[in-house]
């Protein structure tokens, strides 16, 4: 059960989903990032308007929140989104490390309007050799040298 404030934040994400859809930004998805009682980042899906397949509402909102807060971690924040996140957004959310995610529509409901992510979930669990898009491992000494330099670099900022 949501509090009144949580409901307001979720409804803002839903408003953004409708706004983005009606204004030709992209699919019907919206998201807000909240720290304390303040929205610090908002986003609507902008895939088709920006020609960017990564411009999902959650990614846009996370980018805006990180810019607002001057950080790459959202560990004191809550994400409110109009729909259960897709695999890409789920990965971005885990990298951002918020306190929790609150969502309205489910991925099953998204699939019913032709936003079906099951094929990606299936691909993740599929052996590399059997994936629909070939993944070719090409080890390279220069790439390994960069990783070794990172491992030994005392000035690195861990995340």
């Amino acid at each position: 059960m949501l509090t009144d404030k949580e409901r307001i934040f979720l409804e803002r994400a839903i408003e953004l989903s409708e706004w983005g859809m009606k204004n030709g930004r992209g699919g019907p998805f919206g998201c807000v990032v909240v720290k304390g009682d303040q929205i610090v980042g908002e986003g609507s899906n902008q895939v088709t308007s920006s020609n960017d397949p990564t411009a999902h509402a959650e990614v846009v909102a996370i980018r805006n929140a990180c810019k607002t807060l001057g950080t790459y971690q959202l560990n004191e924040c809550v994400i409110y989104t109009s729909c259960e996140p897709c695999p890409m957004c789920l990965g971005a959310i885990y990298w951002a490390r918020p306190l929790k995610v609150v969502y309205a529509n489910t991925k099953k409901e998204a699939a019913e309007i032709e936003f079906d992510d099951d094929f990606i979930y299936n691909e993740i669990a599929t052996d590399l050799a059997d994936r629909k898009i070939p993944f070719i491992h090409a080890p390279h000494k220069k790439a390994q040298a960069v990783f070794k330099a990172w491992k030994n670099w005392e000035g690195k900022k861990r995340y």
Side-chain angles (χ1 to χ4, degrees):
M1 183 115 172
L2 298 179
T3 67
D4 288 341
K5 285 184 181 183
E6 289 175 317
R7 191 172 297 101
I8 290 168
F9 294 134
L10 183 58
E11 288 173 358
R12 177 63 183 151
I14 296 165
E15 288 170 5
L16 288 166
S17 73
E18 184 178 32
W19 179 88
M21 176 187 72
K22 287 184 175 179
N23 286 282
R25 300 291 216 152
F29 304 98
C31 182
V32 297
V33 179
V34 175
K35 183 174 182 181
D37 290 334
Q38 183 179 3
I39 294 175
V40 294
E42 293 187 336
S44 64
N45 182 290
Q46 298 175 17
V47 169
T48 57
S49 61
S50 66
N51 293 318
D52 180 353
T54 70
H56 288 200
E58 295 89 342
V59 172
V60 173
I62 288 169
R63 288 174 181 163
N64 288 334
C66 289
K67 184 175 181 180
T68 297
L69 297 173
T71 184
Y72 54 88
Q73 302 273 278
L74 300 175
N75 38 3
E76 296 178 12
C77 298
V78 176
I79 294 176
Y80 295 86
T81 184
S82 65
C83 187
E84 185 176 358
C86 76
M88 178 185 69
C89 294
L90 185 62
I93 288 166
Y94 271 95
W95 281 115
R97 296 177 175 88
L99 294 170
K100 66 181 177 180
V101 176
V102 178
Y103 63 94
N105 294 323
T106 66
K107 65 182 182 179
K108 183 177 184 275
E109 291 167 320
E112 290 170 358
I113 61 164
E114 300 178 352
F115 288 95
D116 191 351
D117 299 327
D118 277 344
F119 77 97
I120 299 173
Y121 285 106
N122 292 335
E123 284 289 289
I124 291 169
T126 300
D127 186 80
L128 288 176
D130 297 324
R131 287 188 177 169
K132 293 189 184 343
I133 298 175
F135 281 71
I136 300 158
H137 182 212
H140 197 287
K141 288 181 182 180
K142 289 182 180 179
Q144 292 168 351
V146 174
F147 270 22
K148 184 176 181 182
W150 172 261
K151 182 178 180 181
N152 297 323
W153 185 28
E154 292 184 22
K156 68 184 163 220
K157 188 172 186 178
R158 297 181 190 275
Y159 60 97

